[in-house]
Amino acid sequence: MSGRIAHLADVRGGYALEADAVVVGSGAGGAMAAANLARAGMDVVVVEAGPQVRPDDMTRDGPAFLSKYYWEGGLRMLLGSGAYPTMSGRCLGGSTVVNSAIFFRLPDWVRQAWIDEAGLSGLAGPELDAAYDRIFTRLKVAPTPMHVMGRKNLVTRDVLDRVGVPNKPLPRAVDGCIGSGDCLTGCRQGAKQSVDRSVLPEAVDHGARVMTCSQVERILFEDGRAVGVEGDVVDLDGWQKVGRFSVRAPRVFLAAGALHTPVLMQRSGVRLGGRVGGTFAAHISGLALGILPDDVRPWEGATQGWGGFSPEVQGLKFEALWGPTALIAAEWGGLGRDLSQMLQDVRRAAMVVMVYRAKTKGSVRATRSGMPDARLWIPPEEIHVVARQVHKLTAAFLDMGAEYVFTGVKGLPDRIRTIDEASGLLSNRLRGRHMTMTANHVFCSCPMDARADHGVVDPEGRVHGVPGLWISDASVFPSPSAVNPQATVMALSDLISRRAADLSLLDA
Ligand SMILES: Cc1cc2nc3c(=O)[nH]c(=O)nc-3n(C[C@H](O)[C@H](O)[C@H](O)COP(=O)(O)OP(=O)(O)OC[C@H]3O[C@@H](n4cnc5c(N)ncnc54)[C@H](O)[C@@H]3O)c2cc1C
Ligand code: SF4
């Protein structure tokens, strides 16, 4: 039996379906679960809030693209120690459509922490490695080739050499990347192996029905058991409700991402004593943007092609990055003369960012309108760790002849021209509110834990004490991954759904 992808025109009037399993969300975790459940012969329905994004819908106009295909138009913020943008895709394939496709396995030390601290002894065996092997092969993960680096990635190499960080081309899940640098607004080229292209087609081939523009509002229960979901059919932008839908199924898989999955649980009355959404976490970040003496043309070359791990701070990683210039400008700030100067300088710009597994505290709570209200608290000492690395990057850029460096740290000059002007980065008075950072790696809001009175799901992804309900997305990380999370989201979802479908954990 072959399935299909249903678009707004197909679902506009609403619908009521029955299936063996319903999967909420079609991103990294949801696609993987749908493919396995369908392959095992189950009748699967995937419900996805966003529409399908086709190559023709992809535009370099960042704000226009974000407003349609990112949640809250790309303007969602984490509040707490500061106000930090946090982005996630609202489209078929979820955030995998808009990310940079960097793929890393969980480092051994984090894997060991998950085993020790959350009792996940099952992660010690060969099953997790087999899952990574399958995923890396299927998504064609390979180091970014030199011919698509563009100068910006090579500037990152030179900066990291100066800082003393071992560095190399980043492994990415792409096939035929031409280095257009457009990853954050999709991939018109069709090179990025986002799950809408790489995994969902397999689910559809095995009969899965994929319902787009279908935003789940709550989980349905009967006698304490999850038996389906219901929600609204929404228009392409997600603003208007144009119908109602329900899907009844004895297996409900939540994969709406680390912000929306806990919200769905809370709105459905599953709180587990405050543990649902009570342990949210995100990687924190920092940046240095250098204006070099000659052209870099940062819009050329793979979006994030080069990087390296800090030998000094465990869990801190450096990466090249560029995005739509309008978005960089928004982060850079400035109006009038400042903005016009920035636009003149941008062709000479290169940016190095970092992601860091800081010890943060966070939470996600459902607002009345059903959106996540996420908070992140970052202790000052972790801010100081990031700021000191920003200082090193700034010194390296200046050493390479940069005219000035922008760090986004409040209280510092916007244009740092000498290393003395960067001394504020070494201050112990820096706090979260001073930092410019984006937190796109979000997780841990419904963590996996072997103990029934800890965490939210058991080692097989089943919600503690709620039969019929699984979670298979980034929510289940027991703690931050320290590396880009997509590969691990997919690997955990692969294991969770294979177990639920009685498929081998080791074979292809
Ligand atoms: C700009 C950006 C760059 C990134 N770069 C990288 C990278 O290079 N490498 C990497 O490893 N990671 C990267 N990440 C992170 C990575 O994309 C995520 O960790 C991963 O996609 C999370 O998978 P998920 O299944 O939990 O959520 P998602 O992939 O976000 O999927 C969740 C899906 O659920 C849908 N949904 C939400 N609520 C509902 C609802 N109520 N009803 C129906 N559907 C719903 C969403 O629309 C979405 O499609 C990046 C993220 C962003 C935003
Ligand atoms: S850099 Fe361009 S071609 Fe390469 S994966 Fe990203 S969007 Fe696609």
Side-chain angles (χ1 to χ4, degrees):
M1 180 177 66
S2 184
R4 68 186 175 114
I5 297 177
H7 303 285
L8 181 59
D10 308 312
V11 297
R12 184 178 280 281
Y15 58 90
L17 297 176
E18 293 194 2
D20 297 325
V22 58
V23 179
V24 179
S26 65
M32 205 68 220
N36 281 334
L37 299 171
R39 200 155 58 87
M42 289 188 205
D43 178 14
V44 175
V45 172
V46 179
V47 278
E48 164 57 52
Q52 186 172 28
V53 198
R54 298 196 172 86
D56 281 353
D57 305 320
M58 294 173 181
T59 162
R60 281 192 149 172
D61 180 343
F65 184 92
L66 265 65
S67 66
K68 279 193 173 158
Y69 302 119
Y70 278 65
W71 280 95
E72 298 186 39
L75 297 174
R76 177 174 281 167
M77 292 284 172
L78 298 181
L79 301 177
S81 299
Y84 312 117
T86 179
M87 296 152 83
S88 50
R90 193 191 67 84
C91 54
L92 192 68
S95 302
T96 75
V97 173
V98 298
N99 75 16
S100 302
I102 301 168
F103 263 53
F104 277 99
R105 292 168 194 241
L106 199 64
D108 286 344
W109 61 276
V110 180
R111 186 168 170 172
Q112 195 57 50
W114 288 10
I115 293 167
D116 296 342
E117 290 160 21
L120 305 184
S121 52
L123 296 185
E127 293 82 2
L128 181 62
D129 299 299
Y132 281 126
D133 289 346
R134 284 190 289 268
I135 292 162
F136 277 53
T137 304
R138 185 176 192 170
L139 271 64
K140 304 182 170 68
V141 177
T144 305
M146 290 307 284
H147 69 271
V148 299
M149 280 302 171
R151 186 156 176 235
K152 66 160 178 265
N153 285 307
L154 300 180
V155 170
T156 296
R157 174 195 64 191
D158 297 345
V159 168
L160 296 183
D161 279 348
R162 279 182 164 73
V163 174
V165 172
N167 55 82
K168 55 185 182 184
L170 290 170
R172 293 163 68 240
V174 296
D175 184 17
C177 170
I178 56 166
S180 69
D182 290 327
C183 289
L184 271 58
T185 50
C187 179
R188 277 179 85 99
Q189 180 71 10
K192 195 195 307 181
Q193 297 298 294
S194 48
V195 295
D196 57 319
R197 289 188 172 118
S198 55
V199 180
L200 277 172
E202 185 188 334
V204 172
D205 283 349
H206 283 98
R209 290 169 283 174
V210 180
M211 317 303 283
T212 63
C213 300
S214 300
Q215 186 166 322
V216 173
E217 182 190 356
R218 66 184 190 97
I219 307 158
L220 301 172
F221 293 98
E222 270 172 17
D223 300 326
R225 184 184 175 89
V227 293
V229 295
E230 66 177 11
D232 296 303
V233 178
V234 292
D235 66 359
L236 296 178
D237 297 336
W239 296 116
Q240 300 276 346
K241 298 174 181 176
V242 297
R244 289 287 292 173
F245 72 87
S246 66
V247 183
R248 292 185 68 86
R251 298 169 194 81
V252 177
F253 280 72
L254 299 184
L259 293 175
H260 287 269
T261 286
V263 161
L264 285 176
M265 299 266 283
Q266 291 164 5
R267 294 187 90 199
S268 310
V270 185
R271 296 194 174 79
L272 303 187
R275 300 201 301 276
V276 172
T279 52
F280 168 71
H283 284 151
I284 69 170
S285 63
L287 69 96
L289 184 154
I291 301 298
L292 293 161
D294 46 1
D295 273 5
V296 174
R297 298 175 62 85
W299 49 86
E300 293 175 353
T303 308
Q304 298 197 267
W306 206 280
F309 292 93
S310 168
E312 184 190 344
V313 182
Q314 193 176 47
L316 192 142
K317 177 166 174 284
F318 298 90
E319 297 167 346
L321 174 65
W322 197 256
T325 302
L327 300 185
I328 305 281
E331 197 129 295
W332 197 330
L335 287 170
R337 231 168 105 179
D338 269 0
L339 180 63
S340 115
Q341 178 68 48
M342 185 282 256
L343 291 174
Q344 282 176 42
D345 292 346
V346 83
R347 58 189 303 119
R348 295 187 286 128
M351 181 156 67
V352 183
V353 297
M354 64 190 91
V355 286
Y356 173 44
R357 184 189 195 254
K359 293 183 183 66
T360 59
K361 280 197 176 4
S363 65
V364 182
R365 297 276 169 260
T367 64
R368 274 193 190 184
S369 64
M371 284 296 117
D373 171 1
R375 307 279 159 148
L376 190 73
W377 302 97
I378 312 169
E381 57 273 20
E382 296 288 41
I383 294 294
H384 303 156
V385 170
V386 170
R388 280 168 171 67
Q389 299 300 319
V390 175
H391 187 268
K392 290 187 177 190
L393 295 175
T394 303
F397 266 122
L398 293 173
D399 198 36
M400 285 165 58
E403 187 183 317
Y404 64 87
V405 180
F406 169 81
T407 65
V409 176
K410 292 170 193 70
L412 263 66
D414 270 355
R415 292 177 171 76
I416 296 172
R417 295 176 193 278
T418 67
I419 197 61
D420 287 348
E421 290 176 352
S423 59
L425 289 167
L426 304 176
S427 164
N428 282 338
R429 284 159 58 194
L430 281 179
R431 295 291 180 272
R433 65 180 180 278
H434 297 120
M435 305 301 282
T436 294
M437 64 170 84
T438 305
N440 289 337
H441 296 172
V442 291
F443 15 61
C444 308
S445 49
C446 298
M448 188 178 268
D449 198 299
R451 297 162 293 184
D453 55 349
H454 282 67
V456 172
V457 299
D458 71 11
E460 301 194 3
R462 296 173 301 201
V463 175
H464 288 303
V466 187
L469 189 58
W470 283 256
I471 300 179
S472 61
D473 63 16
S475 313
V476 304
F477 283 17
S479 62
S481 50
V483 291
N484 314 65
Q486 185 184 336
T488 301
V489 175
M490 292 183 71
L492 290 184
S493 178
D494 188 27
L495 295 180
I496 288 169
S497 51
R498 277 171 179 258
R499 281 203 176 93
D502 266 338
L503 292 175
S504 160
L505 302 183
L506 291 172
D507 299 346

